[in-house]
């Protein structure tokens, strides 16, 4: 009860008593703060005290001092102690107080059935103490929450000029969620240097050596993960560093995808993925070497399996240093990092084998977190929160603990058996790799939110494409190149297809359609490609006239204008009939189910020991 309300009640009881009652209440509050000594005094007062309070107003008087003028009396007590003279102690005779109580018109005895005044005081002190404790806990919780938020590093989501439209919501208004997970090999600290490589690389431009696109379906029933090998050849688009305005020009031809991180930050890696796949990316999460170690320690170990003894080290010192005996072992800390970085000793020693090992680790981590009590232990949970927030760099859409928690809550809805890990289908180009036609099939499935495990409840209708940013030019002003891509592994290119189809377009009013016979690509399906968003409307118009589905209109940096590639599905005739969509995951993606706890990495015999 506030002082003002008590004074108001005193006024109603009688104007002459109001100042004394206000002073008594003020001193009673002071005594509550003083703590245990007052509680004892209150409980030991004898039965001749004043007792009854009217509607919660204080009954004891302080001797008529002015409000706010508490004085300390001999004996160390604060004046106005309930039920005793200023400075008095518990057990003092109450006979001296009675006349003042009588003068105030108050009863000398406690009415039957009312809680003793000392008990009320104890309850009041308990309530005050509990309130203070809750306030302290709330304050500490807020400060710790802000501390964790301060751990998180932030960077811009997309540094490229081009954007990819977000997917169209399903009938329930839900949209998929795409998060790019980036593992940085940054060696910009002593800790990272010790974990990550040679001393001559200290302070060098970091590389995005791990890149995984995590796709959470619109209905949150399934999750797909697509890894891209770090040495995949791609075109990196122009990126602008938002911190200093530095512009990184687009790559001259194709370069390794891990270089994208050095073009202004993770936002350029996001831009590179969107250019290649046409998939709208909502968020990114980046972690470095030290972060992997600290989070692996906090989780408490993740079981991994090898089919033979392995030591990832060759005569020249290459390798991660991983040393494990045959079988399944929990790895954490630096050993977990070694597992995630190992190439030498796994299968053919390529990034493809490393990606498979990473998939096994992530699947096992998901199962571990679900099966044990790691997140039910407050100390482990606190440590995991501390390590995770300190290890991460995220986009502004994930830059608080609450946002990260909300994301994790979305992800954990998916059961392990509905998680599918894949590697982007690829083929070797010298010592590097490039995406294949199967890669485009995989990207299409993700774009169209089709589960990679083949367990969608029913066939989803083709989504209505989002309207292009720029409308199409008039047909007679729209330039189109037509290429013959009908060659297959078994059949040569069907002769004259580029000329035939370009003639069809001219007949339809596309006066600037021409055949490009300088190249003979190989495409399983007929596609229309365009290089930038300002030509998307033109590309869609060409596809519409020829009856090519919208899903076959693709953005690509490999063309300089609207380019129609006649595929192996249109080797003859003048009318295009789109084949039935194949929504199966390509075998070359090497899909791994999240519930597969029998998966084991094959060890290269050259890296075994006995």
């Amino acid at each position: 009860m506030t002082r003002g309300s008590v004074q108001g009640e005193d006024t109603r009881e009688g104007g002459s008593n109001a100042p004394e009652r206000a002073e008594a209440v003020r001193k009673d509050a002071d005594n509550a703060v003083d703590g245990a000594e007052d509680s004892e005094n209150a409980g030991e007062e004898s039965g001749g005290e004043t007792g009854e309070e009217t509607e919660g107003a204080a009954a004891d008087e302080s001797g008529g001092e002015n409000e706010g003028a508490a004085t300390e009396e001999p004996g160390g007590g604060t004046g106005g102690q309930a039920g005793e003279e200023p400075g008095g102690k518990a057990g003092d005779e109450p006979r001296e107080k009675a006349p003042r109580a009588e003068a105030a018109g108050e009863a000398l005895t406690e009415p039957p059935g009312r809680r003793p005044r000392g008990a009320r005081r104890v309850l009041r002190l308990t309530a005050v103490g509990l309130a203070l404790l809750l306030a302290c806990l709330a304050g500490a919780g807020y400060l710790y929450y802000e501390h964790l938020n301060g751990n998180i590093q932030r960077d811009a989501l997309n540094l490229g000029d081009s954007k990819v439209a977000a997917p169209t919501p399903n009938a329930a208004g839900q949209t998929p969620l795409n998060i790019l997970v980036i593992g940085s090999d940054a060696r910009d600290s002593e800790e990272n240097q010790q974990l990550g490589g040679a001393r001559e690389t200290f302070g060098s431009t970091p590389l995005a050596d791990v890149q995984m696109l995590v796709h959470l379906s619109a209905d949150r029933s399934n999750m797909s993960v697509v890894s891209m090998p770090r040495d995949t050849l791609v075109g990196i688009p122009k990126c602008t560093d938002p911190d200093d305005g530095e512009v990184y020009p687009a790559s001259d031809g194709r370069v390794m995808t891990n270089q994208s991180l050095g073009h202004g930050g993770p936002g350029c890696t996001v831009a590179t993925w969107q250019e290649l796949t046409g998939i709208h990316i909502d968020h990114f999460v980046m972690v470095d070497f030290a972060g992997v170690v600290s989070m692996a320690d906090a989780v408490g170990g993740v079981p991994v399996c090898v089919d033979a003894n392995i030591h990832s080290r060759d005569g020249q010192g290459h390798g991660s240093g991983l040393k494990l005996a045959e079988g399944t072992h929990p790895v954490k800390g630096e050993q977990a990092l070694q597992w995630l970085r190992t190439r030498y000793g796994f299968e053919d020693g390529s990034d493809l084998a490393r990606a498979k090992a990473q998939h096994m680790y992530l699947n096992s981590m998901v199962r571990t977190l679900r099966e044990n009590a790691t997140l039910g232990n407050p100390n482990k949970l606190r440590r995991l929160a501390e390590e995770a927030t300190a290890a991460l760099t995220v986009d502004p859409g994930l830059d608080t603990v609450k946002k990260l928690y909300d994301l994790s809550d979305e992800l954990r809805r998916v059961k392990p058996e509905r998680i599918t890990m894949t590697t982007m289908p690829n083929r070797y180009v010298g010592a590097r790799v490039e995406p294949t036609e199967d890669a485009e099939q995989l990207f299409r499935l993700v774009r169209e939110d089709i589960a990679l495990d083949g367990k969608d409840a029913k066939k989803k209708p083709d989504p209505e494409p989002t309207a292009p940013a720029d409308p199409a030019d008039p047909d007679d002003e729209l330039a189109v190149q037509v290429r013959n891509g009908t060659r297959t592994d078994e059949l040569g290119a069907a002769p004259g297809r580029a000329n035939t189809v370009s003639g069809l377009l001219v007949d339809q009013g596309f006066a600037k359609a021409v055949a490009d016979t300088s190249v003979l690509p190989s495409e399983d399906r007929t596609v229309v490609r365009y290089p930038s968003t300002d030509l998307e409307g033109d590309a869609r118009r060409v596809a519409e006239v020829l009856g090519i589905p919208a899903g076959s209109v693709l953005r690509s940096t490999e063309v300089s204008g609207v380019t129609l590639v006649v595929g192996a599905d249109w080797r003859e005739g003048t009318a295009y009939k789109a084949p039935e969509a194949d929504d199966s995951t390509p075998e070359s993606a090497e899909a791994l189910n999240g519930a597969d706890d029998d998966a084991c990495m094959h060890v290269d015999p050259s890296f075994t020991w006995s």
Side-chain angles (χ1 to χ4, degrees):
M1 179 177 295
T2 65
R3 183 182 302 168
S5 64
V6 173
Q7 289 174 331
E9 290 169 5
D10 287 337
T11 301
R12 288 194 296 272
E13 289 176 22
S16 62
N17 291 336
E20 291 85 349
R21 289 186 176 278
E23 178 63 9
V25 170
R26 186 194 64 75
K27 293 180 178 178
D28 188 55
D30 290 341
N31 290 332
V33 175
D34 284 343
E37 180 182 3
D38 292 336
S39 297
E40 292 176 3
N41 291 343
E44 294 173 2
E45 289 169 343
S46 59
E49 306 166 73
T50 62
E52 183 173 355
E53 295 176 6
T54 304
E55 296 182 2
D60 45 330
E61 308 298 337
S62 64
E65 293 176 24
N66 292 332
E67 181 179 7
T71 58
E72 194 162 295
E73 299 293 328
T78 303
Q81 175 78 20
E84 62 189 50
E85 284 286 10
K89 297 292 183 183
D92 285 354
E93 291 297 323
R95 51 190 171 79
E96 295 180 8
K97 301 185 182 74
R100 297 216 317 250
E102 289 173 337
E106 300 197 38
L108 298 179
T109 60
E110 188 82 358
R114 290 187 69 88
R115 179 177 289 135
R117 205 168 153 276
R120 290 198 303 275
R121 167 64 72 76
V122 171
L123 290 176
R124 188 158 57 244
L125 286 172
T126 302
V128 171
L130 181 59
L132 288 173
L133 176 61
L134 291 175
C136 290
L137 290 175
Y142 174 78
L143 291 176
Y144 187 63
Y145 176 78
E146 288 301 303
H147 161 72
L148 292 178
N149 284 342
N151 283 348
I152 302 170
Q153 299 182 64
R154 302 155 182 81
D155 217 324
L157 174 61
N158 187 347
L159 306 186
D161 292 337
S162 301
K163 311 300 177 186
V164 173
T168 303
N170 63 14
Q174 303 166 305
T175 54
L177 197 60
N178 295 307
I179 307 105
L180 186 63
V181 178
I182 303 169
S184 165
D185 78 339
R187 289 151 187 162
D188 52 0
S189 70
E190 288 296 337
E191 185 178 9
N192 275 329
Q193 176 65 34
Q194 291 171 4
L195 295 169
R199 295 201 171 275
E200 61 269 18
T201 64
F202 186 83
S204 60
T205 302
L207 300 171
D209 272 0
V210 176
Q211 299 177 34
M212 294 183 179
L213 181 67
V214 178
H215 172 83
L216 184 61
S217 66
D219 63 5
R220 305 307 189 249
S221 68
N222 65 89
M223 185 191 307
S224 304
V225 179
V226 180
S227 288
M228 184 188 298
R230 68 170 186 169
D231 53 3
T232 301
L233 296 177
V234 298
I236 298 177
K238 183 184 81 171
C239 292
T240 304
D241 189 331
D243 294 332
D244 56 16
E246 182 176 356
V247 176
Y248 295 83
S251 60
D252 184 11
R254 296 190 302 172
V255 298
M256 286 173 57
T257 184
N258 65 350
Q259 296 180 25
S260 59
L261 190 58
H263 288 227
C268 197
T269 305
V270 169
T272 302
W273 267 79
Q274 291 196 157
E275 285 277 355
L276 176 68
T277 67
I279 298 169
H280 174 81
I281 295 177
D282 301 282
H283 301 292
F284 75 79
V285 175
M286 184 171 72
V287 63
D288 61 14
F289 289 154
V292 171
V293 170
S294 61
M295 284 193 291
D297 281 344
V299 168
V302 174
V304 295
C305 176
V306 287
D307 66 0
N309 299 342
I310 181 175
H311 186 202
S312 178
R313 187 74 73 195
D314 66 10
Q316 288 74 45
H318 299 138
S320 69
L322 177 70
K323 189 172 185 179
L324 288 175
E326 177 183 352
T328 300
H329 309 274
V331 295
K332 62 180 181 178
E334 187 171 351
Q335 196 173 45
L337 178 64
Q338 289 173 337
W339 176 275
L340 293 170
R341 296 182 62 231
T342 293
R343 288 175 54 204
Y344 295 91
F346 282 160
E347 299 188 350
D348 63 355
S350 70
D351 273 331
L352 307 180
R354 172 160 52 189
K356 183 184 295 185
Q358 291 167 352
H359 293 163
M360 289 183 185
Y361 179 91
L362 291 175
N363 280 341
S364 184
M365 176 180 281
V366 170
R367 292 194 300 268
T368 299
L369 290 174
R370 281 178 169 271
E371 292 168 4
N372 68 21
T374 296
L375 297 185
N377 182 314
N379 288 330
K380 288 187 176 181
L381 180 60
R382 179 194 59 76
R383 185 181 177 195
L384 182 58
E386 191 78 43
E387 300 292 356
T389 53
L392 299 179
T393 300
V394 299
D395 67 275
L398 293 178
D399 64 355
T400 68
V401 172
K402 182 182 184 307
K403 292 175 184 176
L404 287 169
Y405 176 82
D406 289 344
L407 173 61
S408 68
D409 192 48
E410 295 259 37
L411 295 173
R412 70 186 178 90
R413 296 185 199 179
V414 182
K415 297 179 180 179
E417 54 266 27
R418 296 302 313 275
I419 298 174
T420 306
M421 299 275 184
T422 64
T423 298
M424 180 198 75
N426 57 82
R427 56 178 162 246
Y428 278 102
V429 181
R432 310 301 180 205
V433 298
E434 66 180 6
T436 63
E437 293 76 16
D438 282 354
E440 173 51 38
Q441 163 80 344
L442 190 65
F443 298 152
R444 180 184 68 82
L445 295 178
V446 173
R447 284 196 304 268
E448 297 179 9
D449 195 26
I450 297 172
L452 299 187
D453 61 7
K455 296 179 182 177
D456 276 341
K458 57 183 179 180
K459 179 69 173 69
K460 300 178 181 178
D462 291 336
E464 289 294 325
T466 305
D470 291 328
D473 289 337
D475 293 350
D476 60 350
E477 297 179 11
L478 199 159
V480 187
Q481 284 190 336
V482 181
R483 295 175 178 174
N484 184 352
T486 57
R487 177 174 54 88
T488 69
D489 292 339
E490 294 80 23
L491 300 171
R497 293 307 292 163
N499 286 313
T500 299
V501 176
S502 62
L504 289 175
L505 286 171
V506 170
D507 291 344
Q508 293 285 345
F510 292 86
K512 294 185 177 182
V514 295
D516 177 8
T517 58
S518 63
V519 291
L520 291 174
S522 177
E523 294 284 351
D524 291 334
R525 301 178 65 175
T526 299
V527 295
V528 181
R529 294 194 170 97
Y530 62 95
S532 55
T533 53
D534 59 319
L535 293 177
E536 182 180 3
D538 295 350
R540 288 194 187 182
R541 173 60 182 160
V542 171
E544 178 187 4
V545 168
L546 293 176
I548 298 170
S552 295
V553 179
L554 309 172
R555 185 170 178 177
S556 172
T557 56
E558 296 181 4
V559 297
S560 57
V562 176
T563 304
L564 167 63
V565 182
V566 182
D569 58 348
W570 198 9
R571 290 179 61 87
E572 59 186 21
T574 57
Y576 177 70
K577 183 179 180 180
E580 287 192 26
D582 177 11
D583 291 341
S584 61
T585 301
E587 290 186 12
S588 56
E590 298 187 348
L592 177 67
N593 186 269
D596 184 359
D597 56 5
D598 293 326
C600 209
M601 284 303 297
H602 174 64
V603 175
D604 181 344
S606 300
F607 288 85
T608 193
W609 54 274
S610 59

